[in-house]
Amino acid sequence: MQNKTLVPSTIRNTVVGALSVLFISTGCINTDDVDPFVDGSTQKGLNVTVTEPIDRDYSDIKQDGTIKMITRYSSNTYFLHQGIEWGFEYELVRKFAQEHDLALEVVVVGPNENPYDLLNSGMGDLIAANYTATPERKKYIKFTRPYNLVDQVLVFSDGVEDPPETIEKVAERDIPITVRRNSSYYYRLQSLRDQGINLVTRQVPNTKDTESLLFEISNNTHSATVADDNIFNASNRYMQGLVKGPTIAKNDTIAWAIRKNANDLETELNRFLYKHFRFGNEGEDPKRSTFLNILRKRYFESGQQIAEYYNPEMSSRGSGVISPYDDLIKEVADSAGVDWLLVSSIAAQETKFNPKSKSWAGAVGLMQVMPRFSEVSNEEDLYDVETNIREGVRIIKEHLNHYSYMDSTNKWSFALATYNAGPGHVADARRLAIDQNKNPNEWENVEAALLKLMQRKYYKDARYGFTRGIETVRYVKEIKNRYNTYESILTMSESDEEGTVPGVMGLFN
């Protein structure tokens, strides 16, 4: 099963977050009882509007063949590097999806969207975002068994002289601690105040996430904030000017959030997590699987590689927003009248932008062009990036022309399926759809037929025989949804240049 990252085809151009640390909002809100939003209004609590979860459990997810992960865009949850998906949460959920033969949709929370509402309305199936299990959150969702334990630590700007070593001394010096009203940090600070520690707290709009606040701390915009120790460790690898302060909470449990009525999904997720994280005996560290330890080392403990991929201080424009080949792909695709982001999505799916790639079937180069279908006579020439892109675009353009009588959604679905499986297998699936009195010009009917062509009773009469239809179906879905992710990131990047990008909905730690 291939690696899978999908974004719903109805995504709303909402991929923001990690890069939002570039978009520093101004000002703090000095109130302890309200929940400020970008528009200046105030609401109490988590601002949940969908309180009754839809009826969607594991059996429905299996039937769809897709599990939907709600997350935020950050260096430890989910992010893109040269068009390829990374992130601790992403890789962990993807592992579950692979073991259960499911595709993975990534739903990134956008401005003025609420992850609880997305979850309970069915836009996603689990929230995976370094989520702390808090009583406030449990009013609307439930949590799986944990997969991590973290400590909450104060983080000071290096502009704070002689940083206090205890929370009591922080209170004595009236050092303001900037957090979001919806965060678990806010509730911990409130608990400390209830214990008589007179802390000064400041709240920022919910367009902030922890990484954004840490970035502002590093620039001396604020004096102090709170972060989970793993997020601090990851951020400290590429941000300058952060000073770790005292621990204010130990062993918070990090878990995935799911709908309260998703009992079977909870069972499956808990079985999976039990294999990777178990509590040890009293006084012992938790027991983690090799896979989980690899992820922890990659994203929270090791060298600079992942942090540098994500680093918001590093401009990606020199090599392109999506990949190092943005300008070239734009030029070739535009000249052919083909959407360049879809071409980029194909290249990411085929080779992860590796121009030297060669498949077991003999497809070569960035776009995995089959030499026997190419107009380029010398196979070695297909390893040239520009030549390969031109050939790939020419081939996908031919497929688009073949289905030009269809609406745009169906046309692209059929063209992508043909690029992946070849025209023969797609034609077989369309004939099978006709045999079953279905419209062969509707992708959902042909999609179902492709899956049937994996069964002998159907493929034995097909002109081109057996095909791994599930791979083609997922190929189409992944590329279309990756396109939506790329489109959102491109929109965000263009807005950044204009200085108009809002931050991410700050409901995560």
Side-chain angles (χ1 to χ4, degrees):
M1 178 173 165
Q2 298 175 347
N3 293 345
K4 301 181 171 48
T5 303
L6 311 178
V7 180
S9 58
T10 56
I11 194 168
R12 305 149 306 281
N13 290 334
T14 60
V15 179
V16 291
L19 298 180
S20 71
V21 292
L22 290 171
F23 321 136
I24 303 302
S25 300
T26 59
C28 299
I29 298 180
N30 298 302
T31 176
D32 296 327
D33 301 319
V34 297
D35 191 9
F37 285 80
V38 177
D39 62 5
S41 64
T42 59
Q43 301 183 31
K44 291 181 180 294
L46 299 179
N47 194 34
V48 174
T49 60
V50 181
T51 57
E52 293 296 325
I54 68 159
D55 187 14
R56 176 178 165 85
D57 208 341
Y58 182 71
S59 60
D60 304 293
I61 293 169
K62 283 293 289 183
Q63 184 175 352
D64 290 347
T66 300
I67 187 167
K68 307 171 189 177
M69 163 190 170
I70 300 169
T71 192
R72 59 187 173 85
Y73 199 93
S74 78
S75 67
N76 54 73
T77 52
Y78 171 78
F79 69 100
L80 296 178
H81 172 61
Q82 296 188 347
I84 306 306
E85 299 85 355
W86 298 85
F88 176 89
E89 297 285 358
Y90 166 72
E91 292 204 48
L92 188 59
V93 178
R94 185 183 63 180
K95 180 75 168 176
F96 172 84
Q98 289 173 333
E99 291 185 4
H100 291 75
D101 199 24
L102 295 167
L104 173 61
E105 289 189 11
V106 177
V107 182
V108 181
V109 180
N112 301 320
E113 290 186 321
N114 188 305
Y116 310 102
D117 289 342
L118 293 177
L119 179 67
N120 285 327
S121 66
M123 290 298 295
D125 296 312
L126 75 160
I127 301 173
N130 199 68
Y131 227 41
T132 305
T134 66
E136 183 73 8
R137 289 167 175 167
K138 289 179 181 179
K139 295 176 183 177
Y140 308 104
I141 46 86
K142 64 179 176 180
F143 288 94
T144 63
R145 63 178 291 117
Y147 55 90
N148 201 6
L149 294 176
V150 298
D151 296 340
Q152 292 185 15
V153 297
L154 280 181
V155 181
F156 299 108
S157 164
D158 62 3
V160 175
E161 295 184 7
D162 190 20
E165 297 180 355
T166 67
I167 191 67
E168 289 80 7
K169 290 183 179 179
V170 174
E172 289 174 7
R173 289 176 54 179
D174 290 333
I175 297 174
I177 304 171
T178 304
V179 293
R180 299 181 321 277
R181 168 66 174 83
N182 287 330
S183 66
S184 60
Y185 313 138
Y186 171 84
Y187 292 106
R188 178 55 183 160
L189 293 175
Q190 286 292 90
S191 175
L192 290 171
R193 293 175 71 179
D194 292 341
Q195 296 172 31
I197 302 175
N198 191 23
L199 297 166
V200 177
T201 61
R202 291 180 176 174
Q203 295 176 57
V204 291
N206 284 328
T207 53
K208 300 289 183 183
D209 63 7
T210 302
E211 219 157 2
S212 300
L213 280 174
L214 288 173
F215 190 75
E216 294 185 356
I217 291 290
S218 73
N219 288 332
N220 291 307
T221 304
H222 311 293
S223 298
T225 190
V226 183
D228 289 342
D229 57 351
N230 59 344
I231 296 179
F232 167 79
N233 291 335
S235 299
N236 196 40
R237 284 152 49 196
Y238 67 88
M239 296 181 191
Q240 304 297 319
L242 299 179
V243 179
K244 188 175 182 179
T247 298
I248 64 171
K250 293 186 68 67
N251 292 332
D252 277 349
T253 57
I254 303 297
W256 290 332
I258 58 176
R259 287 179 289 274
K260 286 187 174 182
N261 58 355
N263 297 324
D264 293 339
L265 176 61
E266 179 184 20
T267 298
E268 294 298 330
L269 292 173
N270 282 344
R271 285 175 179 167
F272 169 79
L273 293 173
Y274 183 74
K275 294 188 301 182
H276 296 287
F277 183 92
R278 303 179 192 177
F279 289 106
N281 295 325
E282 186 173 353
E284 294 181 352
D285 291 334
K287 302 181 185 300
R288 296 180 172 89
S289 68
T290 300
F291 174 74
L292 192 59
N293 277 325
I294 289 172
L295 292 188
R296 281 165 51 82
K297 184 175 181 180
R298 179 178 299 160
Y299 291 100
F300 300 119
E301 300 171 0
S302 64
Q304 295 293 317
Q305 297 93 328
I306 294 297
E308 287 179 353
Y309 288 166
Y310 167 82
N311 190 343
E313 296 180 279
M314 297 175 63
S315 172
S316 63
R317 295 191 184 91
S319 61
V321 174
I322 302 301
S323 81
Y325 308 108
D326 282 4
D327 291 341
L328 183 56
I329 291 174
K330 285 180 191 176
E331 177 187 346
V332 175
D334 288 350
S335 65
V338 177
D339 192 318
W340 79 274
L341 284 181
L342 274 163
V343 176
S344 295
S345 301
I346 295 171
Q349 182 74 16
E350 293 285 356
T351 64
K352 297 186 176 180
F353 297 104
N354 178 8
K356 301 301 182 183
S357 178
K358 183 172 184 176
S359 76
W360 63 269
V364 300
L366 196 75
M367 300 284 291
Q368 288 292 272
V369 174
M370 293 293 289
R372 68 177 182 272
F373 298 136
S374 174
E375 294 181 351
V376 176
S377 58
N378 185 351
E379 179 178 325
E380 289 302 312
D381 290 341
L382 289 173
Y383 287 101
D384 175 74
V385 173
E386 181 175 355
T387 301
N388 193 276
I389 292 173
R390 291 191 182 279
E391 278 299 280
V393 169
R394 180 187 64 79
I395 293 169
I396 194 67
K397 178 67 172 179
E398 287 182 357
H399 297 329
L400 288 168
N401 289 340
H402 182 74
Y403 301 109
S404 60
Y405 55 90
M406 299 180 180
D407 63 64
S408 61
T409 300
N410 281 310
K411 179 172 66 176
W412 264 106
S413 298
F414 279 95
L416 291 170
T418 305
Y419 194 90
N420 176 256
H425 290 305
V426 175
D428 278 346
R430 298 184 74 191
R431 282 189 288 268
L432 180 56
I434 293 172
D435 291 344
Q436 296 183 331
N437 296 317
K438 301 290 181 62
N439 185 348
N441 296 330
E442 293 290 334
W443 172 244
E444 64 179 14
N445 298 330
V446 176
E447 181 182 57
L450 279 166
L451 297 176
K452 287 183 170 65
L453 287 175
M454 297 172 63
Q455 304 174 38
R456 188 179 185 281
K457 67 177 180 178
Y458 294 109
Y459 73 69
K460 66 182 179 65
D461 297 322
R463 185 173 301 175
Y464 292 90
F466 172 85
T467 182
R468 285 280 296 171
I470 191 171
E471 292 182 358
T472 301
V473 167
R474 287 174 176 163
Y475 179 89
V476 172
K477 183 181 291 186
E478 289 165 13
I479 288 178
K480 289 167 66 178
N481 288 292
R482 181 178 284 110
Y483 169 88
N484 289 321
T485 305
Y486 288 173
E487 186 177 48
S488 299
I489 291 173
L490 183 65
T491 299
M492 179 185 66
S493 176
E494 291 172 347
S495 297
D496 172 36
E497 293 177 351
E498 299 169 2
T500 60
V501 175
V504 68
M505 184 73 171
L507 297 179
F508 304 106
N509 282 353

